[in-house]
Amino acid sequence: MTEITAPKSPISAEQFADEIREQLKYTQGVTEQQATDADVYVAAASAVRRHLMDAWMQTQQDMINGDTKAVGYLSAEFLMGKQLSNALLNVGLTEQFEEAVKNLGHDPQNVIDAEYEPGLGNGGLGRLAACFIDSLASLGVPAFGYGIQYKYGIFKQEFDEEGKQVETPDYWLENEEPWGHIDYGRSQRVNFGGEVVEENGKRVWKPSWAVRAVPVDYMVPGYKSGRVNTLRLWTSKSYDEFDLLTFNKSEYLDAVRPQVVAENISKILYPEDSTPQGKALRLEQQYFFVSASIHDAIRVFYPGQDKPDLTTFPQKINFQLNDTHPVIGIPELMRVLIDEYGYDWDTAWSITSKTFNYTCHTLLPEALEVWSADLIGALLPRHLEIIKKINDQFVKELAAQGVDKKQIERMRIYTDGKDASVRMAYLATYGGSHVNGVAELHSQLLKDVTLKDFSDAYPDKFTNVTNGVTPRRFVRMANPRMSDLITEGLGTDAWMSDLEKLQGLVPLADDAEFVKKFAEVKQANKRAFVDFAKRKYGFEINADTMFNTMVKRLHEYKRQSLKILAVISTYADIKSGKLDVDSIVPRTVFFGAKSAPGYAMAKETIQLINNVSRVVNNDPATKGKLSVYFPWNYNIELAENLIPATDLDEQISQAGKEASGTGNMKFALNGALTVGTLDGANVEIRERVGAENFFLFGMTVDEVDALYAADYDHGGSRRYYEEDPRLKQAIDMVADGTFSEGDKKTYENLVNDWLTHDYFMTLADFGAYMDIQDEIESTYRDPMKWARMAVLNVANSGYFSSDRSIEDYLERIWHTGPLA
Ligand code: 26W
C-alpha cells in the first residue's frame, strides 16, 4: 500500500523536534525530560502556529490591499474539534510531527489526545461553520469567521445510575490553550441599554452600559492553499475592572459586580437547539459579537480612515448570517452608517441590503427566533426604532407591489400590539440580498411553506446551497486506512482537494481485489474503535458484528425513539422465542446524543436507551448477538472514531423536518450504508449513490402532510399500536417496567405521547422501518455485496464536500473568489 503523501513542508523531523524543544525550554520552562504529553502538545501547537505565521500575515495583507471581496461568516457557533492534527495536515507537517515526537520519547497519539476539545457549538449548525471556514481557507478565499469565545462550551454529558443525562460544565480553558491569540489592541466597545433622545433634529442613542469586546484570533490554515484565514472569537470584559469608590466603602462584591455582569456575556453557550429561549442574555450575546464584528470589519478594510467611503463596504465584505442568531447585525449596520458615519437612510439601506445574506437551517417554525419588542427596546432602544422603520418601509414596498393586506399582515417584521415582537427570519429575508436553505428539499419547503409569502414577493432572493463536510477532517484524518486505499486506487491524493475525483473509484467497485481490501479496511476500523471504546468507556464490543450507528442531537423529530423501539421489538421476539437468536445478523447498535437540559421528552428517551442497553447487553438470551452502546458525551472526537467504523448509518427523521443533516454525508463518505427517509440531504445522497445502494423507507413529506390532515397527532397513532403486534409488544415492554426494574412510571410520558400524540409519527413509520431491516440483514449476509455498495457510496459522494458548498456560495451568493 502506498503511503499517503502529505504535502511536504521544507523542514525535517529533526528540525521540528528542535522547534518543540525550544518551545518547551524558552516558552514553557520545562526540560525535555520533564515534559508531559500535554507539554509536548502545547509546544508542538506553538511550533505549528509559528509555521503558519508568515502565510497568515500575507493573507491578511493581500486581503486588505487587494480588491477581492472577503466573506464574513457570522455564527454564534463554531464547533471546531481538536486543532493539532488538522493544522499539521494542512501545513504539511504530519509525518515530521510523528517522527519528532517519537524521538522526544512520546507517543504521537497521546500528544494528540492531550488537546482538550473545544465545544463551542451544539450540533450541525456549528460544525458546518467549522467545515466552511476550512474550505474557504483551502480555496484561498479571504474570509473571517466571527463568533464568541464562550468560556463554557456545550455541557459535558454523563449518565447517572438510572441512565439519566447529567450535565456538567465544560470549562475548556482550564489548561493552556495554545491556539487562540488574544489581541487587546483590536478591542471594540459594545453599548447597551439607555435611551434615545432628540438632539439637533437627530436621534441619538445614550446607552447606559457598555462592555469591552476583546478578540481571540485563531488561525484557519487552508489545505495546500498557502492561505491562512482568521477565526475571530470575541470575549467580553468589563471597562470598570474595579469600582474604587465602592471598594473604598469596603463593599467588595459590589465593587466587582460590573465586571461580573460584563463577563457574563461570553460566559456560556446556550445548549438549546431547535427551540430558542427569549432570554435577554442571549440577545446580549448576539448583539455583542455582531456589533464588534461589524466595527472590526470597518477597521480592517478602511485602516486609519476617519471618514471612510462606506458605500464601497459591500465590495469589501459580505456577511453571511448563520441562521437568525446574528440578524441583529442588519439594524446595527444601519445604525452605524446613519448615526456614526452620517449617511442618510436610503444610502444606508442600499449598503446594508447588499452586505448581508441569510442561511436558514431549520424547518421547525418554533426554531425561528422572535424577540419581544420590549426586550429589544430595553437593551437596544435605537435598534428597535430602526427595526420599526425598516418594517414601515417594507410594508409600503409590499403595498406598492400590490400585495394584499392579509398577506402583508402575515409578513410583518415588527408586529404591533400588546405582545409586540420582531421576527428575525423575516428581518433577515427582507434585509439581505439572498436567502438559502441547506439542501434541495429544505430550500423548496422554505419557498413553499416556511417563507412562502416572501418567496412570492421576492422570488429572486431564494436559492439553495446543499451542505457539505470537509474531506480533510472527516475523511483523511478520521479514516487514514481508507484514505490510503483511495489514494492507491486512484493513483493520486488529489481527491483531498477535489472530492469529485472519488468518482474514479466507480470502476473499482467491480474489482474484487479492491472491494476485498475495502472490506478489510472497514474491519480494521471496527477493531480500532473497539480498542478506543475499551480505553475510553470500558466497553467490551465485538468487532465481528454489524456496527449500526445513530449519532446526532437528541430530538423527537430525529426519532431516536424509532430506532430504540425497533431494537426492543427484536429483543422481545428473541425473548418470546419467536425469533431464533442464532438466525439474526449479529448487531451492535450505537447511540450518541446530547439532549437540551430542559427537554423532558428527549431526556426520557436517553434514559430508555441506556436501560435498554443495560438489560439487553446483560441478557444471556441475546448471546451477545444484539447489543446497544451509548457512549456518553458525543463530540467531534467520538464522531471521528465511530463514523469510519460504522457499517449502517441511521438517518430516520420524519420527512420534512431535518433541514439537511451533515452526519449523513460523513457516513456515506466513510463507506457506511444509510437507512433513511426522504428527508434533508438524504434525498440528494440517495440520488447520487444510487437508489439500489441506499435503504429507503418511510413516509414522504406529502404522506406526512396527509396524515396530519387526518388528525394523526390527535389520537391517530393508537391504531398503529393496536394493529401492529410488533409495535404493541415493544411499547408494552417499555410500559411494563422491563427497562425500569419494574417501575411503570419511569417512561410514562414517552408511552403516553406515543399513544395519544406522536407528533413526529414514529408509530406510523415503524412498520416500514422494521420491514427494511430484513433487506438490510440479507444484504449484510453477503459481505462482498455490502462492501461493493459501500465503495459506490464513497465513490459517488464527492459532491458532499464543503469545498463544493463554498463554490456554490461563491457563485450564487457572494460573487467573489480566491485571492489573486
Ligand atoms: C436556540 C435556537 C437555535 C435554533 C436553531 C439554535 C440552533 C438552531 C440550529 C438551526 C439547529 C441546527 O443545528 N440546525 C441544523 O443545521 C445543520 C447545518 O445546516 C443541518 O444539517 C441540520 O439539518 C439542522 O438541524
Side-chain angles (χ1 to χ4, degrees):
M1 204 180 276
T2 52
E3 261 300 292
I4 251 297
T5 45
K8 287 275 185 291
S9 191
I11 69 156
S12 66
E14 207 28 64
Q15 283 168 306
F16 195 53
D18 282 341
E19 291 177 10
I20 292 176
R21 285 190 190 97
E22 190 173 302
Q23 285 292 335
L24 283 171
K25 181 169 173 190
Y26 292 105
T27 310
Q28 292 156 245
V30 287
T31 65
E32 196 179 324
Q33 288 67 34
Q34 289 169 331
T36 61
D37 290 334
D39 292 327
V40 176
Y41 152 68
V42 170
S46 310
V48 171
R49 255 190 119 254
R50 292 179 62 145
H51 276 272
L52 293 168
M53 194 56 78
D54 286 327
W56 188 36
M57 290 174 147
Q58 191 64 49
T59 303
Q60 292 179 63
Q61 270 181 17
D62 292 350
M63 177 176 72
I64 296 161
N65 299 333
D67 48 17
T68 308
K69 179 163 69 180
V71 175
Y73 202 81
L74 295 176
S75 179
E77 305 186 6
F78 285 91
L79 193 50
M80 296 295 289
K82 295 188 185 192
Q83 291 305 292
L84 181 56
S85 303
N86 188 246
L88 288 165
L89 173 67
N90 284 10
V91 78
L93 285 171
T94 305
E95 290 166 13
Q96 293 92 324
F97 164 81
E98 287 183 2
E99 212 181 308
V101 166
K102 277 185 208 150
N103 290 345
L104 291 164
H106 293 257
D107 178 344
Q109 190 57 49
N110 293 342
V111 172
I112 298 278
D113 287 348
E115 179 169 358
Y116 192 98
E117 178 178 320
L120 308 187
N122 274 288
L125 164 135
R127 182 54 233 179
L128 186 77
C131 284
F132 278 5
I133 58 174
D134 177 80
S135 285
L136 281 161
S138 298
L139 292 168
V141 178
F144 277 104
Y146 279 119
I148 300 175
Q149 197 212 37
Y150 301 101
K151 240 190 199 100
Y152 294 89
I154 187 70
F155 62 84
K156 279 200 261 181
Q157 179 193 50
E158 294 167 13
F159 299 136
D160 69 11
E161 283 119 66
E162 291 174 276
K164 289 183 179 154
Q165 168 175 296
V166 178
E167 302 94 22
T168 62
D170 166 56
Y171 186 51
W172 68 290
L173 296 170
E174 199 161 54
N175 296 308
E176 181 155 0
E177 198 280 290
W179 301 103
H181 171 69
I182 187 155
D183 189 349
Y184 291 96
R186 288 183 176 277
S187 299
Q188 296 287 351
R189 183 183 189 90
V190 180
N191 295 317
F192 292 96
E195 54 181 358
V196 183
V197 298
E198 191 89 13
E199 271 177 14
N200 307 322
K202 280 193 172 144
R203 306 291 295 161
V204 179
W205 181 21
K206 304 278 182 189
S208 56
W209 58 286
V211 301
R212 183 176 177 204
V214 183
V216 187
D217 283 350
Y218 292 81
M219 292 178 177
V220 184
Y223 174 69
K224 280 190 176 176
S225 69
R227 292 299 184 183
V228 180
N229 283 333
T230 304
L231 171 61
R232 188 156 284 166
L233 300 182
W234 300 96
T235 176
S236 61
K237 300 253 189 260
S238 167
Y239 278 107
D240 321 295
E241 289 286 330
F242 229 65
D243 180 347
L244 259 186
L245 201 71
T246 322
F247 187 56
N248 288 341
K249 286 192 273 169
S250 63
E251 286 161 5
Y252 178 74
L253 287 178
D254 282 341
V256 294
R257 183 145 298 143
Q259 188 184 351
V260 171
V261 170
E263 294 187 353
N264 261 343
I265 290 186
S266 60
K267 181 96 22 144
I268 182 159
L269 167 77
Y270 275 87
E272 272 78 35
D273 62 340
S274 309
T275 337
Q277 296 186 349
K279 293 267 169 64
L281 180 57
R282 202 179 158 87
L283 183 58
E284 287 170 18
Q285 291 185 334
Q286 297 182 348
Y287 180 64
F288 164 77
F289 93 87
V290 166
S291 173
S293 304
I294 288 174
H295 285 95
D296 184 68
I298 294 175
R299 186 155 68 190
V300 166
F301 289 103
Y302 305 90
Q305 300 179 35
D306 277 350
K307 288 227 166 302
D309 174 13
L310 291 175
T311 60
T312 62
F313 194 57
Q315 287 123 56
K316 302 284 186 192
I317 190 164
N318 279 182
F319 286 122
Q320 194 64 27
L321 301 165
N322 200 25
D323 219 78
T324 51
H325 318 150
V327 171
I328 195 71
I330 290 173
E332 169 66 355
L333 183 57
M334 288 297 285
R335 185 194 67 80
V336 169
L337 292 167
I338 296 169
D339 296 3
E340 294 182 8
Y341 289 95
Y343 288 94
D344 60 65
W345 177 274
D346 289 343
T347 308
W349 183 251
S350 159
I351 296 169
T352 300
S353 56
K354 283 185 206 132
T355 300
F356 288 98
N357 299 289
Y358 162 54
T359 306
C360 177
H361 294 266
T362 188
L363 275 161
L364 309 178
E366 67 269 25
L368 300 176
E369 286 179 300
V370 176
W371 289 104
S372 100
D374 285 349
L375 185 62
I376 297 187
L379 210 60
L380 304 166
R382 178 66 178 133
H383 296 76
L384 185 61
E385 284 187 1
I386 291 172
I387 291 168
K388 285 184 186 169
K389 213 169 151 184
I390 293 175
N391 181 68
D392 291 345
Q393 168 185 299
F394 172 55
V395 166
K396 269 195 209 125
E397 207 175 288
L398 290 174
Q401 280 179 34
V403 177
D404 75 70
K405 272 223 167 74
K406 262 201 183 142
Q407 183 176 343
I408 296 181
E409 270 318 294
R410 287 200 303 264
M411 294 173 77
R412 293 180 68 94
I413 292 165
Y414 171 84
T415 61
D416 274 313
K418 190 164 69 55
D419 297 318
S421 55
V422 179
R423 296 147 154 178
M424 302 310 267
Y426 295 2
L427 178 56
T429 304
Y430 178 56
S433 294
H434 301 274
V435 183
N436 74 286
V438 289
E440 296 283 354
L441 175 66
H442 174 233
S443 295
Q444 195 59 47
L445 290 169
L446 281 183
K447 287 194 283 186
D448 293 349
V449 187
T450 320
L451 296 172
K452 176 166 192 322
D453 290 330
F454 286 81
S455 146
D456 289 347
Y458 304 96
D460 297 341
K461 279 197 183 189
F462 285 75
T463 184
N464 170 251
V465 179
T466 298
N467 283 166
V469 302
T470 171
R472 271 72 65 182
R473 179 177 291 271
F474 288 108
V475 183
R476 176 59 185 87
M477 267 170 62
N479 201 341
R481 291 182 195 88
M482 188 187 74
S483 296
D484 284 349
L485 182 61
I486 291 172
T487 298
E488 182 187 291
L490 296 176
T492 166
D493 68 1
W495 57 272
M496 283 164 62
S497 40
D498 180 4
L499 206 60
E500 290 279 16
K501 287 213 156 65
L502 292 179
Q503 280 281 337
L505 297 174
V506 170
L508 295 174
D510 295 314
D511 174 338
E513 191 61 25
F514 184 83
V515 174
K516 187 163 158 273
K517 280 187 188 166
F518 194 90
E520 284 164 4
V521 160
K522 181 64 79 179
Q523 196 54 36
N525 288 346
K526 288 163 77 168
R527 283 194 299 269
F529 183 76
V530 168
D531 292 343
F532 170 85
K534 166 95 181 121
R535 241 188 307 130
K536 260 203 106 112
Y537 308 96
F539 295 161
E540 300 279 355
I541 298 166
N542 180 358
D544 297 316
T545 57
M546 178 205 287
F547 279 18
N548 178 192
T549 305
M550 181 163 191
V551 284
K552 50 187 77 254
R553 280 300 287 255
L554 201 311
H555 199 289
E556 287 163 282
Y557 83 78
K558 296 179 187 278
R559 303 198 295 190
Q560 279 92 353
S561 58
L562 178 56
K563 179 75 207 156
I564 200 65
L565 279 173
V567 171
I568 294 168
S569 169
T570 305
Y571 175 65
D573 281 350
I574 293 171
K575 291 297 277 182
S576 71
K578 217 178 121 205
L579 191 63
D580 173 10
V581 68
D582 293 318
S583 76
I584 68 169
V585 169
R587 206 192 278 232
T588 305
V589 176
F590 296 99
F591 287 90
K594 291 181 184 180
S595 156
Y599 189 170
M601 207 64 90
K603 291 186 114 172
E604 217 167 273
T605 308
I606 286 181
Q607 192 181 357
L608 175 61
I609 297 170
N610 273 321
N611 283 288
V612 170
S613 164
R614 175 178 57 79
V615 171
V616 170
N617 295 3
N618 292 314
D619 191 333
T622 65
K623 295 192 187 165
K625 296 209 166 159
L626 177 64
S627 328
V628 178
Y629 290 95
F630 194 164
W632 48 93
N633 201 43
Y634 180 57
N635 62 4
I636 304 291
E637 184 191 28
L638 179 51
E640 288 172 9
N641 283 279
L642 183 51
I643 291 171
T646 293
D647 297 303
L648 178 67
D649 167 40
E650 304 274 338
Q651 300 296 338
I652 60 178
S653 53
Q654 184 198 33
K657 293 295 189 297
E658 188 69 88
S660 163
T662 45
N664 46 6
M665 301 168 183
K666 292 164 199 163
F667 281 100
L669 279 166
N670 279 280
L673 303 187
T674 306
V675 54
T677 50
L678 281 180
D679 200 14
N682 295 354
V683 178
E684 289 157 79
I685 293 175
R686 179 169 170 269
E687 264 164 25
R688 291 199 145 70
V689 305
E692 67 286 5
N693 299 311
F694 187 106
F695 299 107
L696 178 71
F697 81 99
M699 291 182 289
T700 61
V701 172
D702 288 344
E703 287 164 345
V704 164
D705 286 344
L707 220 46
Y708 280 133
D711 253 357
Y712 176 89
D713 53 325
H714 299 104
S717 62
R718 200 170 179 104
R719 186 169 67 81
Y720 294 83
Y721 165 80
E722 272 153 11
E723 290 177 4
D724 185 342
R726 295 173 298 187
L727 184 55
K728 183 165 190 310
Q729 191 182 27
I731 291 182
D732 288 349
M733 209 173 204
V734 176
D736 75 12
T738 303
F739 306 110
S740 41
E741 299 181 279
D743 183 68
K744 296 190 167 66
K745 285 220 162 349
T746 309
Y747 306 113
E748 215 172 42
N749 293 324
L750 266 183
V751 172
N752 277 341
D753 187 78
W754 285 330
L755 297 183
T756 60
H757 194 52
D758 190 27
Y759 185 77
F760 298 102
M761 302 182 177
T762 298
L763 274 54
D765 266 340
F766 179 84
Y769 184 65
M770 291 306 288
D771 292 344
I772 195 79
Q773 300 302 326
D774 296 337
E775 195 183 322
I776 291 168
E777 289 215 351
S778 75
T779 309
Y780 194 80
R781 285 179 206 281
D782 182 347
M784 284 304 111
K785 181 174 179 198
W786 185 282
R788 180 177 183 279
M789 288 165 73
V791 170
L792 288 171
N793 266 260
V794 176
N796 291 306
S797 291
Y799 177 79
F800 300 103
S801 166
S802 46
D803 297 346
R804 190 272 315 148
S805 304
I806 291 300
E807 305 263 18
D808 287 351
Y809 276 98
L810 291 171
E811 189 189 308
R812 296 171 199 169
I813 297 178
W814 300 326
H815 310 297
T816 182
L819 283 168

